[in-house]
Structures are given as structure tokens and as C-alpha cells.
Amino acid sequence: MSALLTVLGTVIVALVGALSTLLGQRISARSQERSAEVSTRAEEWSRLLAETKAYADERLAGQQEQIEELRADMTRVKQQLSDLRARYRAALETIRRWLRDHPNHRLDVPDEIADDLKTL
């Protein structure tokens, strides 16, 4: 009986060892698969992020060019407006002097500048 228990114990230990080995191998294989999947996905994400960055950089460069063009246009428009204001004031002053020097002459002053002639 003792020999039978020894054989039975040895068989049970061998089966438990074999099952433990199989279970360990499966766990190791799953871990390697997951590691490979994470690695593959990390590469995919890296590629996606690089593509997104390149696209964003391209768009930003285009927008920056547009901003610079708009700034240049705005500077030009401000200068033109300043020039027109100076010319308008000079024209109003000339009209005012003419009206003062020729009080008997009838000049129809447009409504758009009538108030400006009074306040300048």
C-alpha cells in the first residue's frame, strides 16, 4: 500500500508540475502577445501623431503667412487712412477759406461735409 501511495503521489506531483508548466507557458505567451500588441499600437500611435503634427505644422505655416500678409495690408490701410484724413482736413480748410473769402458766392455744400466744415 505504501508503494501504491508513493506512485500515486509521484503521479499527482508530476501532473501538478505539468499543469503548472502549461499554465506558466500560456501566461507567458499571452504576456508576450500583449507586449507585441502594445508595441505595435505604440508604433501606430507614434506614426499617427507624427502625421498629425506634420499636418498641423503645415496648416500653421500657411496661417502664419496669411497673418503676415494681413498685418502688412493693415499697415498699408492705416497709412492710407492717415493720408486721406490729412488730405480731407486740408480740403475742408481750403473750402472754409474760400467760403470766408467769397461770402457772396453761393456754393452748395454737400450735407456729408457741412458739419465737418463748421467744426474744423
Side-chain angles (χ1 to χ4, degrees), residues 56-76:
D57 288 346
E58 181 181 316
R59 298 283 296 166
L60 287 175
Q63 289 177 350
Q64 191 61 37
E65 287 176 20
Q66 289 177 343
I67 289 170
E68 293 304 321
E69 289 175 10
L70 289 172
R71 283 183 179 158
D73 288 347
M74 187 61 131
T75 300
R76 205 168 29 257

Side-chain angles (χ1 to χ4, degrees), residues 14-31:
L15 283 175
V16 169
L19 288 175
S20 295
T21 302
L22 284 174
L23 184 60
Q25 287 175 346
R26 281 192 172 180
I27 290 172
S28 177
R30 282 187 184 171
S31 175

